[in-house]
Structures are given as structure tokens and as C-alpha cells.
């Protein structure tokens, strides 16, 4: 039985720091300097227990990570039973607990939530958790465990994992023994499922050269090396994966001049890159839920193949497979993007692939929800975070469909393999990497051929530090600002002066900064537009 005294006593070990601004559970959960997080992690542990009890003892996941942020940051977020992000209505509960001014107030808020949501306090609570490779991780785990012990919660510590692996485990544990069983609920089970699906999808295909993978000196390095043990070697017909930037012994090197965010934001390869011309390269982020590709062209020009490119490649391939299997009219394939998607990619999907596109606000929860409206929903943010979601109806059709020719049978086998190769719970850099490799092998493409599918509009993403990000309020799937007043009109006036111009500004979900995106017909114009919109943002006031 949970007692207020137990919560008060345990909470006293993790004092809430005095801050100018309240903690706020956002798109990525809580994320800030690790030194400020102990009380937050303890209180999220309390919420995880409540969430599990509310859902009759289903397993809730807790991930301690700050993804692509600097090494001295950390964060924490909850994973719901099917591997999805925490239900939106519970984010305010997380925020309220994190900001309780005293230990006694915290216990009272916890008790109020229990009563208001009619949670049976005697019900079983089950939680699993993991962390990335940050030095602060073990200390923060201590706070989490104290919260779980104080609320009489069963828990399992899976130590160091990628974020997508924790999502996989959460769903696998909750579906074990049911008709919706997702996989063996172990880390080894994850590798076995991905590897077996990869082999099936690759049947009879050959790879064109190796791929060099920059692991951001994060958890993706050791986990990719572990996955390689389950994949066929190059001598056995497998892909040669060269792992670089996998130093997890020195935590301060995490995301330093490497990783997906560095490559996407700077639009250049990591300084450590030794890749030759036309060599396939990919970069993961710090917790391995994002991946972007890139290469150096014949003229030594850097070419980025970001989340937009991965989404269009996946949509092209899956659409072709569905038609070749005889299911073109029975599977509705759609693409979900955010305002950050390059305008050229949207035009390619709608005009060349003839597929519908939906635009949502930034954030996995919005993209994932919109993707589930299709039979096959492809969603990727430009930063490389994304996946493909197959509806229950689509999976049923794929399992029951009888092919009418060897060609249909081959396409159907590949499509079925993709449904298990892809981690449908969340964006997963490791499985997305293998998905791209499968598609390129089937098409006989290198990065150059992939890049030629359409021409990106030159674009620039700028980070602008602001005193208070909360004054920037957006509408229209974050493509327009409604606050501060008059700022959007200034942006619109500027955009109208540039050929193919488009720009928007939105507050970061994790730091006091505003991200300004701009695209235009030429690189110079895109840079100029981004700089001028950034100036408007800096000068904006309520």
C-alpha cells in the first residue's frame, strides 16, 4: 500500500532546485541540465507508477536520455503500453508533480491525482526503465528507483539501451501471449527480430559497397555492434557496416561534432569523416532514434539525405511493392510531414508518387497519430526521426492475401518482411538504417541515384536564443505565428521578396530558443531569408 509518508520521506532526498521558470513536460519529456533533474526524475517515477495502476498493471517504460543534446544535459520521458509516447492528457500531470513546491505538497498532489482519476491504489504497478550513456545516468536512476520503491512498484532495470529498444520492450512485454505479440521482450529478442526480418527482405539482393555509420559517440555505437553479430557478414552476402564515432568511454564526446543533429544543422559531415566520393554515410543521434544519410559528390559537394529523403524513398518502395503484389488498390499509403519538410519533397510525393501528404505540428506524437489514419503511414521529420506504421487491417490483408504469380509472391514476401524489420513503435535509427539499405539494394542504387529523385530547395535552419520561448505561439501545424502580434506579418512580407521563398519560426520544445527555417530558390537567398527572419525573432516582444 502506498503511503504519503513514504513519498514524503523518499522525496526529501531529492530536493527541488530553485528555478526562475517552471519545469515543463514537452515533446521530449523533461530535458535540461542533468544537475537540475534529480527531483524531476523522482517525480516522474511517481507518475509512472500511477500510470501503470490506472492501466491495470500494464508495463510503463521510462527512458533517461537527452538524445542529441550536449553531454551535460539529460532528460526523462514515459512510454505508454504499446510503445507510444505518453498520452497527451497526462503531460500536465507530469508538469504538476515536477513543480510541487515541497515534499508534502508533492504527496498531496499525488493523492489528489489518485482520487480524481479513480486509481485503485492497491492495484499492481509495473515499470521498466533504461538510460543512455551519459555520465549522469546512474545518479538519476537512483532517484527513479527511490520513487518506484516508495510506491510499491515492480520494476526492471534494463541498464543501457537505445530509446527505440525501450519502446520495443515495453510493447513486447504488454503483448506477450496475445494475438498481437510484438516480439520476445528481451534485448536479444530485439536483435533477433530485426536481423531475421532483414534477411527475409534482402533475399537474393546484393549490396553496392559499404555504409559508414557515425554513432554520435552514444549508445547507438555498442548496440549497432551487437546487432551486427546477428546480421549476415559481407562474406555471407550481408552489408558491410563500418562503425565510427562510437566512443562511450568518454561521455563528454557524446554528440560533439558528430551525430545526426550536427550533420543536419550544419549541413556537413563530421570533421572525423574519412569517407571518399559517393561513399554511403549515415549519422545516428545520441539515443539512436534518428538517422540521416549523406555523401560527397564528384565535385566534393556535401549532399544530405535527411528524413524527407528517407520518407520519400520508403513511400516510393512500399508503393511499388504494394502494386507489384497486386495490392495497389487495397492499401492506402500516405506520408506525414512537418513544416520542416523541404517543399520539393512534398511536391515529389504528391505529384510524382501520387500519394497524399498530411502536415502536422512537430513532435512524434502528432506524426504517429496522423500516420495511423492510413493503411500504411510513412512519417519522418526532416531531422531523421521517423518510422512506418502498418494498420491492423493492412497487416491482416498482407497475411491473408494469395499472390497470383511469382512476381506478386516475391513483392508480397518483401512487404511482409518490412512490417517486422521496421520498429513501428517509434523512430528507430538501427532499423531505419537497415530499411534504407534494403531499399537501395533492391533498386541497385547508390546515394547519387537516391539524391536524383528530386532536387531539394536550398534551405537553412537557424537556432535563435530568446529570453522566453513561451511567447511564441503557432497555428496552422506550426507554419504561422499568432504571437507575438505582428511578427507573422513581418515574416510574410519578407518571404514574398524571395523566389520559392518559405519561412517559419517555432519555439523549441526543449530549450529557450526559437528555430527559424527558411527555403528559397538559391542557397544565398535561403541563408539571407533565414538571417532576416532570425533578426525579427530576436527583436520580438509581447
Amino acid at each position: 500500500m502506498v503511503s504519503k509518508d513514504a513519498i514524503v520521506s523518499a522525496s526529501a532526498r531529492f530536493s527541488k532546485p530553485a528555478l526562475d521558470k517552471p519545469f515543463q513536460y514537452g515533446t521530449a519529456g523533461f530535458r535540461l541540465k542533468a544537475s537540475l533533474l534529480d527531483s524531476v526524475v523522482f517525480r516522474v517515477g511517481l507518475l509512472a507508477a500511477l500510470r501503470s495502476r490506472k492501466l491495470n498493471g500494464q508495463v510503463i517504460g521510462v527512458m533517461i536520455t537527452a538524445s542529441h543534446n550536449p553531454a551535460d544535459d539529460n532528460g526523462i520521458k514515459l512510454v505508454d503500453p504499446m510503445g507510444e509516447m505518453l498520452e497527451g492528457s497526462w503531460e500536465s500531470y507530469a508538469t504538476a508533480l515536477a513543480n510541487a513546491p515541497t515534499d508534502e505538497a508533492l504527496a498531496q498532489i499525488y493523492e489528489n491525482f489518485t482520487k480524481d482519476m479513480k486509481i485503485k491504489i492497491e492495484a499492481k504497478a509495473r515499470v521498466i526503465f533504461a538510460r543512455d550513456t551519459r555520465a549522469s545516468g546512474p545518479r538519476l536512476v537512483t532517484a527513479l528507483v527511490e520513487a518506484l520503491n516508495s510506491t510499491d512498484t515492480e520494476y526492471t532495470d534494463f541498464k543501457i539501451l537505445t530509446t527505440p529498444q525501450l519502446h520495443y520492450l515495453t510493447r513486447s512485454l504488454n503483448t506477450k501471449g496475445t494475438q498481437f505479440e510484438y516480439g520476445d521482450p528481451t534485448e536479444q529478442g530485439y536483435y533477433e527480430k530485426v536481423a531475421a526480418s532483414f534477411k527475409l527482405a534482402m533475399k537474393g539482393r546484393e549490396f553496392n559497397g559499404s555504409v559508414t555509420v557515425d554513432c554520435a559517440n552514444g549508445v547507438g555505437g555498442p548496440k549497432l555492434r551487437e546487432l551486427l553479430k546477428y546480421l549476415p557478414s559481407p562474406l555471407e552476402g550481408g552489408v558491410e557496416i563500418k562503425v565510427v564515432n562510437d566512443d562511450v568511454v568518454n561521455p563528454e564526446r557524446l554528440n560533439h561534432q558528430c551525430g545526426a543533429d550536427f550533420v543536419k544543422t550544419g549541413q556537413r559531415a563530421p570533421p572525423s569523416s574519412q569517407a571518399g566520393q559517393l561513399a554511403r554515410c549515415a549519422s545516428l543521434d545520441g539515443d539512436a532514434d534518428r538517422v540521416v544519410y549523406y555523401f560527397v559528390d564528384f565535385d566534393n559537394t556535401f549532399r544530405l539525405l535527411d528524413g524527407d529523403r528517407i520518407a520519400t524513398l520508403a513511400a516510393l518502395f512500399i508503393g511499388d511493392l504494394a502494386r507489384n503484389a497486386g495490392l495497389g488498390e487495397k492499401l492506402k499509403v500516405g506520408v506525414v510531414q512537418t513544416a520542416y519538410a523541404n517543399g520539393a519533397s512534398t511536391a515529389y510525393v504528391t505529384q510524382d508518387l501520387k500519394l497524399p501528404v498530411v502536415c502536422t505540428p512537430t513532435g512524434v506524437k502528432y506524426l504517429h497519430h496522423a500516420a495511423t489514419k492510413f493503411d500504411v503511414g510513412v512519417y519522418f521529420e526532416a531531422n531523421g526521426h521517423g518510422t512506418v506504421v502498418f494498420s491492423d487491417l493492412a497487416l491482416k490483408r498482407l497475411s491473408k492475401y494469395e499472390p497470383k504469380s511469382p512476381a506478386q509472391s516475391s513483392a508480397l514476401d518483401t512487404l511482409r518482411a518490412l512490417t517486422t524489420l521496421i520498429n513501428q513503435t517509434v523512430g528507430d535509427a538501427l532499423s531505419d538504417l537497415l530499411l534504407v539499405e534494403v531499399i537501395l539494394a533492391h533498386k541497385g542504387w547508390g546515394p547519387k541515384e537516391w539524391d536524383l529523385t528530386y532536387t531539394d530547395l536550398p534551405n537553412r535552419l537557424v537556432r535563435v536564443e530568446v529570453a522566453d520561448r513561451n511567447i511564441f505561439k503557432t497555428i496552422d501545424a506550426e507554419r504561422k505565428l499568432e504571437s507575438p502580434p505582428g511578427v507573422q506579418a513581418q515574416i510574410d512580407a519578407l518571404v514574398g521578396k524571395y523566389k520559392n521563398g518559405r519561412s517559419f519560426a517555432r519555439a523549441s520544445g526543449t530549450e529557450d530558443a526559437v528555430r527559424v527555417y527558411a527555403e528559397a530558390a538559391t542557397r544565398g537567398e535561403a541563408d539571407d531569408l533565414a538571417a532576416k527572419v532570425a533578426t525579427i525573432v530576436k527583436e520580438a516582444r509581447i
Side-chain angles (χ1 to χ4, degrees), residues 308-309 311-312 335-359 454-457 479 502 517 519:
D308 294 344
R309 293 281 182 176
T312 55
V335 177
V336 185
Q337 297 182 322
T338 71
Y340 288 112
N342 193 281
S345 73
T346 309
Y348 174 72
V349 174
T350 56
Q351 296 170 21
D352 292 70
L353 302 186
K354 310 294 185 189
L355 295 175
V357 172
V358 172
C359 186
Y454 62 87
T455 302
D456 270 324
L457 286 166
R479 289 176 285 194
R502 182 171 75 94
Y517 176 86
E519 62 187 30

Side-chain angles (χ1 to χ4, degrees), residues 5 15 18 22 24 26 80 109 175 188 197 237 239 243 246 272 291 323 349 372 409 417 435 448 484 496:
D5 288 345
S15 301
Q24 189 172 342
D80 261 359
I109 292 171
T175 56
Q188 180 180 338
S197 304
V239 61
V243 180
D246 62 336
S272 59
V291 61
R323 284 187 293 275
V349 174
T372 61
S409 180
L435 170 65
K448 179 73 171 176

Side-chain angles (χ1 to χ4, degrees), residues 345-386:
S345 73
T346 309
Y348 174 72
V349 174
T350 56
Q351 296 170 21
D352 292 70
L353 302 186
K354 310 294 185 189
L355 295 175
V357 172
V358 172
C359 186
T360 75
T362 303
V364 178
K365 58 188 178 184
Y366 302 112
L367 289 144
H368 195 93
H369 179 73
T372 61
K373 304 299 183 185
F374 295 104
D375 293 328
V376 184
V378 181
Y379 75 84
F380 275 84
E381 294 179 286
N383 63 26
H385 187 283

Side-chain angles (χ1 to χ4, degrees), residues 119-160:
I119 295 172
K120 297 176 182 176
I121 205 66
E122 69 277 6
K124 180 183 288 190
R126 296 189 297 158
V127 169
I128 65 171
F129 58 88
R131 59 185 174 87
D132 67 14
T133 55
R134 292 165 195 272
S136 57
R139 189 191 83 242
L140 296 177
V141 162
T142 301
L144 177 62
V145 168
E146 284 292 322
L148 300 178
N149 284 333
S150 72
T151 52
D152 195 24
T153 300
E154 292 180 16
Y155 62 84
T156 303
D157 180 0
F158 279 94
K159 310 296 183 184
I160 293 176

Side-chain angles (χ1 to χ4, degrees), residues 1 58 129 217 312 427:
M1 190 66 130
Q58 290 190 81
F129 58 88
N217 293 318
T312 55

Side-chain angles (χ1 to χ4, degrees), residues 304-313 450-451 453-456:
L304 178 66
L305 299 159
D306 61 7
D308 294 344
R309 293 281 182 176
I310 297 172
T312 55
L313 184 70
W450 178 11
D451 188 45
T453 50
Y454 62 87
T455 302
D456 270 324

Side-chain angles (χ1 to χ4, degrees), residues 30 53 147 178 198 282 341 415 540:
F30 292 109
R53 285 194 166 94
T178 73
F198 179 70
L415 201 47

Side-chain angles (χ1 to χ4, degrees), residues 165-485:
Q165 286 177 327
L166 184 80
H167 283 254
Y168 164 87
L169 288 170
T170 304
R171 182 165 177 168
S172 296
L173 284 165
N174 285 306
T175 56
K176 187 176 181 180
T178 73
Q179 61 175 320
F180 303 108
E181 193 161 307
Y182 192 64
D184 178 40
T186 64
E187 184 180 348
Q188 180 180 338
Y190 168 89
Y191 298 127
E192 289 174 343
K193 178 180 179 180
V194 170
S197 304
F198 179 70
K199 291 171 189 174
L200 286 173
M202 279 305 304
K203 205 170 182 181
R205 304 289 172 167
E206 293 184 357
F207 292 98
N208 178 20
S210 63
V211 57
T212 299
V213 183
D214 152 34
C215 296
N217 293 318
V219 65
K223 300 310 179 184
L224 177 54
R225 288 195 182 279
E226 190 64 27
L227 175 58
L228 289 178
K229 297 175 184 177
Y230 295 81
L231 297 175
S233 70
L235 291 176
E236 297 168 324
V239 61
E240 182 183 3
I241 297 177
K242 299 176 181 178
V243 180
V244 299
N245 292 331
D246 62 336
D247 178 7
V248 294
V249 176
N250 300 293
E252 70 277 3
R253 296 188 63 187
L254 175 69
N255 296 319
H256 180 65
Q257 294 199 319
C258 59
D261 194 59
F262 175 88
V263 171
K264 170 64 179 172
T265 304
Q267 304 216 6
R268 62 190 179 102
S272 59
S273 175
Q274 302 295 319
Q277 290 178 335
L278 298 188
R280 282 198 315 288
C281 299
S283 284
L284 318 182
D285 69 336
D287 65 338
D289 66 356
R290 297 184 190 182
V291 61
V292 296
Y293 271 71
Y294 48 94
F295 69 101
V296 176
D297 214 338
F298 286 122
D299 59 0
N300 288 323
T301 303
F302 174 79
R303 304 292 298 170
L304 178 66
L305 299 159
D306 61 7
D308 294 344
R309 293 281 182 176
I310 297 172
T312 55
L313 184 70
L316 165 65
F317 187 57
I318 291 170
D320 285 349
L321 286 176
R323 284 187 293 275
N324 294 340
L327 287 165
E329 299 301 316
K330 296 180 180 177
L331 288 179
K332 184 182 179 185
V333 181
V335 177
V336 185
Q337 297 182 322
T338 71
Y340 288 112
N342 193 281
S345 73
T346 309
Y348 174 72
V349 174
T350 56
Q351 296 170 21
D352 292 70
L353 302 186
K354 310 294 185 189
L355 295 175
V357 172
V358 172
C359 186
T360 75
T362 303
V364 178
K365 58 188 178 184
Y366 302 112
L367 289 144
H368 195 93
H369 179 73
T372 61
K373 304 299 183 185
F374 295 104
D375 293 328
V376 184
V378 181
Y379 75 84
F380 275 84
E381 294 179 286
N383 63 26
H385 187 283
T387 190
V388 182
V389 180
F390 294 81
S391 70
D392 289 339
L393 179 61
L395 293 173
K396 190 175 294 184
R397 282 180 174 155
L398 288 172
S399 67
K400 293 187 174 182
Y401 182 70
E402 295 288 343
K404 298 173 178 60
S405 69
Q408 283 194 359
S409 180
S410 177
L412 183 63
D413 286 346
T414 303
L415 201 47
R416 286 171 174 166
L418 294 188
T419 66
T420 49
L421 170 63
I422 295 164
N423 186 345
Q424 295 184 51
T425 65
V426 73
D428 184 337
L430 302 187
S431 70
D432 288 340
L433 176 84
L434 295 183
L435 170 65
V436 169
E437 291 301 313
V438 165
I439 299 172
L440 295 180
H442 272 261
K443 290 196 158 294
W445 285 0
K448 179 73 171 176
E449 291 79 8
W450 178 11
D451 188 45
L452 289 173
T453 50
Y454 62 87
T455 302
D456 270 324
L457 286 166
N459 60 90
R460 180 62 67 196
L461 181 62
V462 178
R463 178 180 173 275
V464 183
E465 290 190 6
V466 295
D468 182 6
R469 71 177 188 262
N470 294 310
I471 68 171
F472 294 88
K473 307 290 186 185
T474 61
I475 55 173
D476 189 22
E478 300 181 327
R479 289 176 285 194
K480 293 187 180 298
L481 281 172
E482 65 173 356
S483 173

